[in-house]
């Protein structure tokens, strides 16, 4: 049963995270990034006040890839998205459901961000993080874990943002959701990652025993095919079966180049170790071209949208263009993931399947991994991309006291002598039984004094953006 709440206070913090190795996707190389933390104090009607939290990496040049912007400017867009959303949630904050607070503000958020030349994908980042913190507080105040709370629709998710569905569709889907006990990791192979030998894609010490692999593409059919041939040669040495996904991060310029890659996959026998195990191809073309280019005959394989998923209608529009899937990322909104998975279940028939996948912008150990993993386990994902534990050394620069508190609260973490606290992977799987404490799977909160307040870039007009 939905509970009503009011948002009384929101505090924003950030912490720098250094990568253990460079992560290259598309035209961007990331060696460090800032992780944002949201602290939301809410008042639950008839129950009093409680605090919730969330965390997420602010990855540069993913939400907005425009060449005219520096990497820091794209991170500043995310900071502004958070600041604008925070102001909106604290303005006239009467009692409403958690989803009602989101639904009543999202259009204003996108409009306000547009006035500062912040694109929709970056605009929805702020509300997504605040929604997670609000939901965490709601569940804690109700004494419910994420899975039981969402099955009862404690957040009041309804169909006002998705007119192609009914509220009964969403309620029925949530009511049938059950926590998956294990979720397999999908190991990311960045464009600069080692392929062969020690430290390569088939090295169990590097891939954590993964049975699923996500391979980044650079946008050139010839060079991508040559690299995939090398990767396939290595993966074929694994003593167990595996699955593969391909992610171009909008790097394929148009359908012609994409068709060339698809043709190679179907005809080049050297690519058989990849093609025969290919599950789907993710966001091959820029989001603007995606919206104007039906896949047509190249949809021999399943394609999904990721960066083009910047509104509640994006999956509906992509379906009409030949796409069969959409990514779930908590940084794009937990409620949108629930609604899109409801759609996939409703649209699927014995002849055609639609699906939601679990993708990841280097979710970091602690709140971010646990909340995104819980979301994936709720909506039934059997495997999810998990690359934070590969590109970052465990809890990295998190204060030792905070990391130890997470370690004590979560048996899915471990620490060897002299090493950082890190995520435990069991035969290529993450276990979800430790995500059942009251709250949004967080169990413990970070130490707020150990963080810096979120940097606040000033608002910029469209004219100032163009200077």
């Amino acid at each position: 049963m939905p509970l009503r709440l009011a948002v009384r206070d929101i505090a924003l913090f950030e912490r720098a995270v250094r990568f253990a190795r460079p992560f290259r996707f598309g035209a961007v190389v990331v060696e460090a990034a800032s992780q944002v933390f949201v602290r939301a104090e809410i008042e639950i009607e008839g129950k009093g006040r409680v605090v919730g939290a969330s965390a997420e990496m602010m990855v540069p040049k993913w939400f907005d890839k425009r060449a005219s912007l520096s990497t820091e400017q794209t991170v500043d867009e995310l900071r502004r998205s958070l600041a604008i959303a925070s102001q909106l949630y604290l303005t006239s904050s009467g009692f409403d459901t958690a989803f009602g607070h989101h639904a009543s503000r999202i259009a204003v958020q996108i409009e306000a961000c547009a006035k500062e030349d912040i694109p929709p994908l970056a605009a929805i980042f702020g509300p997504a993080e605040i929604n997670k913190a609000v939901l965490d507080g709601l569940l804690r105040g109700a004494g419910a874990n994420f899975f039981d709370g969402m099955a009862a629709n404690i957040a009041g998710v309804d169909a006002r943002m998705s007119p192609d569905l009914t509220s009964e569709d969403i309620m029925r889907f949530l009511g049938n959701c059950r926590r998956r006990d294990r979720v397999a990791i999908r190991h990311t192979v960045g464009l600069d990652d080692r392929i062969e030998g020690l430290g390569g894609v088939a090295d169990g010490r590097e891939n954590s025993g993964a049975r699923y692999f996500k391979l980044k593409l650079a946008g050139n059919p010839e060079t991508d095919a040559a690299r995939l041939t090398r990767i396939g040669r290595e993966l074929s040495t694994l003593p167990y079966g595996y699955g593969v996904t391909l992610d171009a991060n909008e790097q394929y310029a148009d359908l012609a180049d994409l068709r060339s890659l698809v043709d190679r996959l179907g005809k080049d026998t050297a690519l058989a170790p990849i093609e025969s195990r290919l599950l789907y191809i993710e966001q091959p073309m820029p989001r603007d071209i995606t919206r104007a280019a039906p896949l047509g005959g190249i949809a021999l394989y399943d394609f999904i949208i990721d960066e083009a998923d910047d509104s509640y209608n994006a999956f509906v529009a992509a379906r009409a263009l030949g796409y069969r899937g959409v990514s779930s990322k908590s940084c794009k909104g937990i409620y949108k993931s629930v609604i899109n998975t409801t759609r996939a279940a409703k649209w699927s028939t014995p002849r055609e399947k639609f699906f939601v996948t679990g993708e990841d912008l280097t979710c970091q150990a602690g709140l971010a991994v646990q909340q995104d993993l819980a979301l994936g386990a709720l909506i039934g994902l059997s495997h999810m991309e998990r690359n934070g534990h590969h590109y970052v050394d465990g809890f990295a620069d998190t204060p030792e006291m905070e990391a130890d508190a997470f370690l004590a609260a979560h048996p899915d973490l471990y620490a060897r002598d002299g090493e950082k606290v890190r995520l435990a992977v069991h035969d290529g799987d993450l276990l979800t039984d430790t995500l059942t404490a009251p709250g949004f799977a967080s169990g413990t909160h970070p130490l707020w004094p150990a963080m810096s307040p979120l940097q606040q870039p000033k608002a910029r007009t469209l004219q100032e953006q163009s200077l």
Side-chain angles (χ1 to χ4, degrees):
M1 177 179 177
L3 296 180
R4 286 160 46 90
L5 61 94
V7 182
R8 298 307 188 199
D9 186 54
I10 296 173
L12 307 173
F13 305 87
E14 66 179 280
R15 175 186 287 152
V17 178
R18 293 179 296 174
F19 283 29
R21 71 195 72 206
F23 174 42
R24 182 160 74 95
F25 63 97
V28 181
V29 178
V30 180
E31 298 187 70
S34 290
Q35 185 175 196
V36 66
F37 294 82
V38 179
R39 178 190 184 276
E41 182 180 355
I42 65 170
E43 180 181 352
I44 304 174
E45 196 169 38
K47 291 181 177 290
R49 296 196 178 199
V50 65
V51 170
S54 68
E56 196 76 61
M57 189 76 84
M58 294 189 290
V59 177
K61 284 284 187 174
W62 183 81
F63 294 86
D64 188 346
K65 293 187 175 72
R66 286 179 290 182
S68 60
L69 298 178
S70 68
T71 55
E72 186 58 31
Q73 284 177 312
T74 66
V75 176
D76 275 348
E77 287 183 340
L78 302 180
R79 294 187 179 108
R80 281 296 298 156
S81 176
L82 283 156
I84 292 168
S86 179
Q87 292 171 355
L88 289 175
Y89 275 69
L90 291 173
T91 301
S92 302
S93 182
F95 287 97
D96 200 348
T97 64
F99 182 74
H101 281 288
H102 164 63
S104 65
R105 290 166 170 81
I106 187 63
V108 181
Q109 167 80 11
I110 292 172
E111 181 181 2
C113 286
K115 291 178 179 178
E116 298 187 24
D117 200 23
I118 299 173
L121 189 64
I124 63 179
F125 178 80
E129 296 314 302
I130 292 173
N131 290 339
K132 288 193 297 180
V134 167
L135 180 59
D136 181 43
L138 176 63
L139 291 165
R140 288 172 181 272
N145 66 54
F146 175 66
F147 305 100
D148 293 341
M150 291 301 288
N153 199 13
I154 194 172
V157 186
D158 58 41
R160 76 185 84 176
M161 305 292 294
S162 49
D164 56 303
L165 299 174
T166 67
S167 294
E168 289 72 24
D169 290 331
I170 298 169
M171 287 284 291
R172 189 180 308 112
F173 172 77
L174 285 172
N176 290 329
C177 285
R178 297 293 182 270
R179 173 179 60 86
R180 290 190 67 94
D181 293 334
R182 303 171 74 100
V183 178
I185 63 169
R186 186 151 27 89
H187 176 70
T188 305
V189 182
L191 291 170
D192 285 340
D193 286 7
R194 184 187 298 272
I195 294 176
E196 289 90 2
L198 293 176
V201 296
D203 185 345
R205 292 166 297 185
E206 292 296 324
N207 64 33
S208 302
R211 304 183 303 280
Y212 297 90
F213 296 83
K214 175 170 178 170
L215 314 179
K216 293 293 187 179
L217 302 176
N220 182 296
E222 184 173 343
T223 57
D224 280 338
R227 181 169 171 273
L228 291 177
T229 297
R230 292 171 57 202
I231 294 174
R233 190 181 303 124
E234 290 296 303
L235 292 181
S236 65
T237 67
L238 293 172
Y240 48 79
Y242 60 90
V244 167
T245 70
L246 306 180
D247 180 14
N249 284 115
E250 304 185 88
Q251 294 304 297
Y252 272 79
D254 52 36
L255 277 172
D257 283 349
L258 184 58
R259 184 177 294 108
S260 177
L261 176 69
V262 170
D263 287 346
R264 286 172 179 266
L265 285 169
K267 297 175 182 177
D268 190 342
T269 57
L271 289 170
I274 300 297
E275 192 275 340
S276 63
R277 294 164 176 82
L278 180 59
L279 303 176
Y280 56 84
I281 300 173
E282 178 183 350
Q283 194 65 55
M285 298 178 293
R287 62 199 79 172
D288 292 341
I289 294 175
T290 295
R291 298 186 187 102
L295 292 174
I298 70 169
L300 301 171
Y301 305 102
D302 287 341
F303 286 83
I304 75 164
I305 59 168
D306 184 21
E307 287 94 329
D309 175 35
D310 59 6
S311 73
Y312 275 88
N313 189 55
F315 192 16
V316 177
R319 178 194 184 192
L321 297 170
Y323 291 81
R324 298 189 185 94
V326 62
S327 66
S328 169
K329 287 179 175 175
S330 56
C331 67
K332 296 193 299 180
I334 52 176
Y335 300 129
K336 185 148 62 68
S337 289
V338 167
I339 286 171
N340 280 339
T341 315
T342 302
R343 286 171 167 146
K346 185 174 183 178
W347 294 344
S348 292
T349 68
R351 296 182 60 185
E352 188 174 23
K353 297 296 182 184
F354 294 89
F355 57 97
V356 173
T357 72
E359 311 303 331
D360 171 19
L361 262 68
T362 60
C363 276
Q364 293 307 301
L367 282 175
V369 163
Q370 291 164 10
Q371 291 180 334
D372 195 60
L373 176 62
L375 175 61
L378 174 80
I379 62 178
L381 302 183
S382 59
H383 59 91
M384 300 176 67
E385 178 193 11
R386 287 282 83 109
N387 50 6
H389 69 278
H390 180 62
Y391 290 104
V392 175
D393 183 16
F395 270 68
D397 297 324
T398 301
E400 186 176 347
M401 184 182 299
E402 183 179 324
D404 287 344
F406 273 97
L407 178 64
H410 293 282
D412 58 334
L413 302 172
Y414 73 95
R416 297 190 180 100
D417 290 342
E419 292 188 355
K420 301 283 188 182
V421 176
R422 63 185 63 250
L423 189 65
V425 182
H426 307 268
D427 298 323
D429 292 344
L430 299 179
L431 306 184
T432 67
D433 56 347
T434 62
L435 304 180
T436 54
F440 190 177
S442 50
T444 187
H445 278 166
L447 302 178
W448 307 108
M451 302 176 191
S452 302
L454 188 80
Q455 298 177 35
Q456 295 293 340
K458 72 180 184 70
R460 291 184 294 174
T461 66
L462 286 174
Q463 183 177 8
E464 288 174 321
Q465 284 274 15
S466 63
L467 294 178

